[in-house]
Amino acid sequence: MHSRVRATTKSIATVVVISVLAAACNPGSGPESIPLPTSPDTTTTTTTTTTTTTTTTTTIVPPTFEAVVRRTTDGVAHISGHDLSDVAFGQGYVSGESYGCTLLDQILKVRGERSLHLGPGANGENVESDFAWRSIDILGRAETDYASASAEVIEQFDSFAAGWNQNLLDEGGDDLAGWCTGAEWIRPVEPVEIYAYARSVALLASSANLTEYIAAAQPPALDAPADETTEAPPSVPDFTPLVPKDLGSNAWAIGANRIEGGEGGALVANPHFPWEGELRFVETQLTVPGTLDVYGAQFAGLPGIWTGFTEGVAWTYTASAGHRFTLYSLDLDPAAPTTYFVDGEPQQMTSAEHTVEILRPDGTIDSETRRLYRSEYGPIIDYPDVGWTDDTVLTYRDANIDNTAFLELGLDLLDVEDLADLQATQARHQGVPQSNTVAVGAEGAAWYADTSATPNLSAEAQQLFAEERFIGESLAATAFDDGVILLDGSDSRFQWEVVPGARSPGLVPFDEQPQVERRDYVFNANDSFWVPSNEFTLDGDFSVMHGQQDAPLSMRTRQNAAVLAADNPLGLAGPDDDFSAEELRTATFDNSARTAALLREPVVAACRATPLVPVEAVTLDDDTEALPAETVDLTAACDVLDSWDGRFDLDSAGAVLWRETMTRFPDESFSTVGPLFSEPFDVARPTETPAGFTSDPAIVVFALARAVQTITAAGFEIDATMGVAQFTERSGERIPIHGGTGHDGVTNVVRWSDLNTSSEPAPTRGELITPNGDLRGDGYPVNDGTSFVMVVDYSSGAPEGSAILTYGNTGDRESDVFAAQTIRFSEKQWRTIAFTEEQILDDPELVEITISAA
């Protein structure tokens, strides 16, 4: 049975003082606990051979840390040491070496100090961010919680910080890899700051997505003159911005019953995450001989492994369709709008004054002070079309604001031995913030569970909420339709229910979370828990907080189900209907579109029946004509779609035309009877319905005509291939990218996303050709989607893996490895994972360094 990783406790210098940074660091810019750079007792010498670089730190005492870092093909770091602290030190060193600026920038964010060092930002965005994060106070919570964290977690973060700081010492602020080289705010980091940043990552689907509304919340002025003008009718709020955007993944766990030869299992991890900013992954192996050996990926700037494998189990995550927070509406006292009522009893909001310092363009620093408010649930927010009036305001409660178990779980996952061990570790900590877990054991069992932190509503509260959300014009109904749970905070029946066994009071315990273990397969593609397979549904009395049951599935989920289905309708499992690792790699990048499988042939028929389509002009807000009024001849377009293979591969002619047609239909068109489908969703056939082409194809033909116009206006041919139109920019190089979007119904998702809070300069994209399309003048730029994609196969008795990290293992845009894996992804050239000692030593690009510090 698994026990926590044990490490020899060392006398850890939590801050490495840095003499070479005396000119680069501003002594007044960092926390007072960080000393000025002086280090007279430490010198560094470096020797280099053709294959090995050894860095030795000579001190008056033996080194506190020593780690070996071996880089293999594509710059993958294999880090080993005598114990956990050595490995964490090495991982911190590599983090600074690969993404030196990323962590510092995020520390500025969670400290609420971006304005001080980077200025107010565009439209004051840094100021708003600073006020919001100070109100959320994840740094204050982290400082309090760090003192009571386990000794092993403290050791891990202390060691990681020491390694990051050692790299800074070795490189110097003027040579730090990345975009912030030479900045005055480069400085050593403290362990608790990294711990605070890690805690902020747990808020991705909650508080971190609400910052702009927290910072703006101010009570109405009681002495304001009455508005004598006629008030406009209130607008219906749009709550969709509160739903986390572009947090997606595919995860497949294939059990022994679907593996060629019937032995072991296999995992496909395919997280769809940003290719820029702080949520990039770093591919790493961590090894302590005889104690742990784990391979996978972690977010840049954090210790441990997020998704990965050991000798006995492989696991990954997908964003859960459940809810990580609940909004609450509050009934206010009009005479004192910072007082609200619960069950008729007045409750006073609390408040705190925050002062943010702001660097101006002329180098001066001034400040702004705001008083921000909280209810018993959490921060008050000023949400558009709700606001903060005399009688109502919104607040929220966050399921992850106190999630200290997230990091304890991460540490304990490093040496899980098998699937049962992983499940027990999850049950013990219940620390997963916002994700489903999909895992497979070497013995051949596959497991799916919605392990995310989920608010627990009583049966009475759920019944009351169900009644409220079916009232069509209620605010709760509007929010629910937009994907948000809005409760009445003035009714105590809607407070979270406390039950035994939960990680924190008010959450759903592990034993009550949806989960299933099988020996054929399970998967998730970000729809709710209830369809983890094409073969069955996961039914039960689960809370609405886990997401909707008996609801239509996305096109991407339906494509995932078709790929894995037992009857092998796409043929991707080969003639025996069972998967090999090679077949799984092929299936991962198959790029077939579910929308095309369902609709391409009838669309072609409708196109041929109506080849001439008159359209009106499309004008923009400034009266510029985006598309002309004309009669569009679809004859050539019909031929293109008729010849298209339904894939989004680089050489697919027709994929661009199809995307521009489908993008004109909102998401609900793919889940209901309407302009695309004639057969409604059937809960008994969730992966097959809606189906049947619409009886009135006029809207589809019109959308096809607009697609032809858009492609022509962008300067492309209507038979342009995906490789011509879809691309990513890597240091000025345009690299063609295969894949599609969830809207297309492609499993290999690539797209553009703004899920990025980094201050790092990054590629931008041009304007849309037309507001209802997706194409831009240069095509389809990509900065998000398939990221660390990995296949792990246990069928031979030992793990055999292959992977691609689509954007590479460094943020240094001048590095040789910056674009290498993007090209590998473009060419579908998987890299064999070097996991064993023999594989590492045989790697033709092996480079080794030994790092140490006192």
Side-chain angles (χ1 to χ4, degrees), residues 707-722:
V708 169
Q709 283 189 300
T710 301
I711 293 169
T712 302
F716 293 95
E717 301 294 330
I718 60 169
D719 63 349
T721 63
M722 188 53 61

Side-chain angles (χ1 to χ4, degrees), residues 144-484:
T144 299
D145 295 338
Y146 195 62
S148 58
S150 69
E152 293 89 349
V153 163
I154 291 173
E155 184 163 16
Q156 184 186 35
F157 277 84
D158 282 5
S159 304
F160 186 91
W164 196 98
N165 290 333
Q166 181 66 45
N167 178 73
L168 186 60
L169 171 63
D170 290 349
E171 297 296 332
D174 291 328
D175 293 314
L176 190 66
W179 54 276
C180 68
T181 296
E184 59 82 22
W185 43 271
I186 296 174
R187 59 163 175 81
V189 297
E190 292 185 290
V192 72
E193 294 177 314
I194 306 173
Y195 182 82
Y197 169 53
R199 291 280 297 276
S200 77
V201 172
L203 306 181
L204 278 176
S206 49
S207 288
N209 203 40
L210 295 163
T211 53
E212 67 177 291
Y213 312 112
I214 296 170
Q218 295 292 295
L222 295 178
D223 57 353
D227 186 356
E228 297 179 0
T229 62
T230 302
E231 292 187 4
S235 300
V236 177
D238 176 12
F239 290 100
T240 56
L242 298 182
V243 180
K245 297 294 187 296
D246 302 331
L247 283 176
S249 303
N250 304 321
W252 307 341
I254 315 299
N257 291 356
R258 287 295 305 282
I259 290 292
E260 285 189 3
E263 298 290 338
L267 180 82
V268 176
N270 185 2
H272 304 149
F273 265 70
W275 294 10
E276 302 283 352
E278 75 276 13
L279 296 179
R280 286 170 289 188
F281 295 114
V282 178
E283 189 175 359
T284 310
Q285 182 176 9
L286 306 177
T287 304
V288 176
T291 302
L292 67 88
D293 194 5
V294 58
Y295 191 105
Q298 176 61 293
F299 295 117
L302 296 181
I305 295 293
W306 181 81
T307 177
F309 68 93
T310 66
E311 286 283 348
V313 63
W315 70 94
T316 190
Y317 302 103
T318 63
S320 167
H323 302 271
R324 312 285 76 82
F325 69 93
T326 51
L327 274 185
Y328 284 99
S329 60
L330 298 178
D331 294 337
L332 304 179
D333 181 351
T338 59
T339 299
Y340 62 98
F341 297 96
V342 177
D343 297 338
E345 295 297 321
Q347 308 292 328
Q348 185 62 43
M349 295 178 189
T350 59
S351 66
E353 206 170 70
H354 304 280
T355 298
V356 168
E357 292 182 292
I358 307 168
L359 175 67
R360 299 302 178 182
D362 63 0
T364 61
I365 294 175
D366 59 22
S367 64
E368 180 179 341
T369 299
R370 295 183 194 175
R371 181 171 293 278
L372 300 175
Y373 294 80
R374 303 177 67 87
S375 70
E376 63 191 82
Y377 304 107
I380 303 296
I381 65 172
D382 183 356
Y383 198 73
D385 296 317
V386 178
W388 190 340
T389 69
D390 290 344
D391 53 19
T392 191
V393 75
L394 299 183
T395 184
Y396 74 95
R397 184 174 176 186
D398 190 327
N400 281 305
I401 194 65
D402 62 349
N403 187 355
T404 59
F406 170 44
L407 303 173
E408 302 284 349
L409 169 66
L411 179 59
D412 265 2
L413 286 175
L414 295 180
D415 64 345
V416 285
E417 297 174 354
D418 51 33
L419 180 60
D421 193 3
L422 181 138
Q423 292 167 328
T425 303
Q426 293 265 25
R428 183 167 61 254
H429 292 292
Q430 302 182 49
V432 176
Q434 60 251 338
S435 302
N436 305 284
T437 301
V438 177
V440 68
E443 78 290 349
W447 182 57
Y448 161 79
D450 183 355
T451 48
S452 48
T454 304
N456 190 39
L457 298 182
S458 68
E460 180 184 22
Q462 291 192 63
Q463 179 60 39
L464 291 169
F465 176 68
E467 295 170 1
E468 179 71 13
R469 69 182 175 90
F470 286 120
I471 302 173
E473 296 183 0
S474 72
L475 203 59
T478 299
F480 187 79
D481 288 343
D482 290 341
V484 175

Side-chain angles (χ1 to χ4, degrees), residues 626-642:
L627 299 176
E630 61 180 331
T631 296
V632 180
D633 186 346
L634 297 181
T635 304
C638 301
D639 292 340
V640 169
L641 291 183
D642 194 25

